[in-house]
Amino acid sequence: MTDTGPLDGEVVVLLHGFPQTATSWAGVSARLADAGYRTLAPDQRGYSPGARPRGRRAYRLAELTGDVVALIDRIGTGPVHLIGHDWGATVGWSVAAHHPDRVRTWTAASVPHPAAFSRALRSPDQARRSWYMAFFQVPRLPERVLSRTGAGGPTLLAGAGMDDVALARYRHEMVEGGALPGALGWYRALPFLTPVPRVAVPTAFVWSSGDSAVSRRAADLCGRHVSGPYRFVELGGTHWIPDQQPEAISEAFLAGVTRSG
């Protein structure tokens, strides 16, 4: 886990997505540290070498949510600001919905509220974009494909807009580091996904118009599942917002804190 910024600053917990680790938040952490915040970015279950349980049930959303709540309670500073990207956003939606007493503000990047995404999957556009979610259910084959050099995994990620620096980090952390089976466990636990209630805490949703994985319909539906203060921030660019637009997501967070305060 990375711990950046002043120890007496308000705490921001950063939740990474697939297929990345806490290092994807480096640019955001630096900007928030300059603004006086302490950021904690854990390598989540399946990604951390010390927390890679076997079996897809170990990666149910309830388990992933519990990990974040346990971290917040361990910090012991009271409610935290929460920012999540991709799968980290899905977990963050669940934390904010089920444990609003632990969350001051919630900022989601790329992935909307699970109910919005589920409804959007009924459309051909989102279903086409989400083909990989079915592929990742297949045993062992996704690991082999995503571990290849040249064609295969890197090509798939590059096609989604991941740049060369992030691809090199992916190979080192995910492939050589052995994190792929655990990371894919998050997808393989999708059959056990349970509904996530509406979110009442102050929320910002940041989405890129060039996102190849999440459609505009999914983004537009998100606000229906937030009962508290809500802002939708649309960017250009690709799915990889923390890496490629750290200033934009940092500004969206800071604007939300100002408004909620």
Side-chain angles (χ1 to χ4, degrees), residues 32-244:
L32 296 188
D34 288 343
Y37 291 90
R38 179 187 179 191
T39 61
L40 299 176
D43 288 334
Q44 297 188 80
R45 179 182 295 228
Y47 294 80
S48 173
R52 293 175 180 170
R54 295 185 178 183
R56 60 180 183 167
R57 288 182 178 272
Y59 298 95
R60 291 174 295 178
L61 185 57
E63 305 295 336
L64 305 172
T65 301
D67 289 344
V68 178
V69 172
L71 172 61
I72 294 171
D73 291 347
R74 180 71 178 270
I75 296 167
T77 59
V80 302
H81 301 287
L82 193 60
I83 306 177
H85 174 247
D86 188 80
W87 258 112
T90 300
V91 176
W93 284 110
S94 179
V95 173
H98 291 290
H99 304 277
D101 57 315
R102 264 76 163 204
V103 181
R104 293 189 181 190
T105 66
W106 161 230
T107 304
S110 299
V111 173
H113 189 285
F117 189 81
S118 179
R119 183 170 179 180
L121 271 174
R122 303 173 192 172
S123 69
D125 181 32
Q126 185 59 60
R128 174 183 57 79
R129 294 169 185 259
S130 299
W131 66 270
Y132 61 91
M133 298 173 72
F135 172 62
F136 288 168
Q137 304 299 313
V138 179
R140 295 182 291 280
L141 180 60
E143 283 90 336
R144 292 201 295 269
V145 170
L146 290 168
S147 296
R148 293 173 184 167
T149 57
T155 298
L156 186 151
L157 296 172
M162 184 177 281
D163 59 33
D164 290 343
V165 172
L167 285 170
R169 205 169 63 228
Y170 160 79
R171 173 150 295 282
H172 173 68
E173 296 173 347
M174 300 298 300
V175 179
E176 297 171 1
L180 271 177
L184 287 166
W186 294 43
Y187 287 95
R188 289 165 178 158
L190 280 172
F192 308 115
L193 190 66
T194 53
V196 175
R198 288 187 177 185
V199 170
V201 302
T203 297
F205 175 47
V206 184
W207 174 79
S208 300
S209 58
D211 194 316
S212 62
V214 180
S215 67
R216 177 173 292 279
R217 175 160 176 75
D220 288 343
L221 288 170
C222 184
R224 300 185 184 184
H225 302 280
V226 180
S227 60
Y230 175 73
R231 293 182 307 115
F232 173 51
V233 180
E234 180 176 340
L235 308 175
T238 74
H239 178 78
W240 313 102
I241 295 173
D243 282 296
Q244 297 174 358

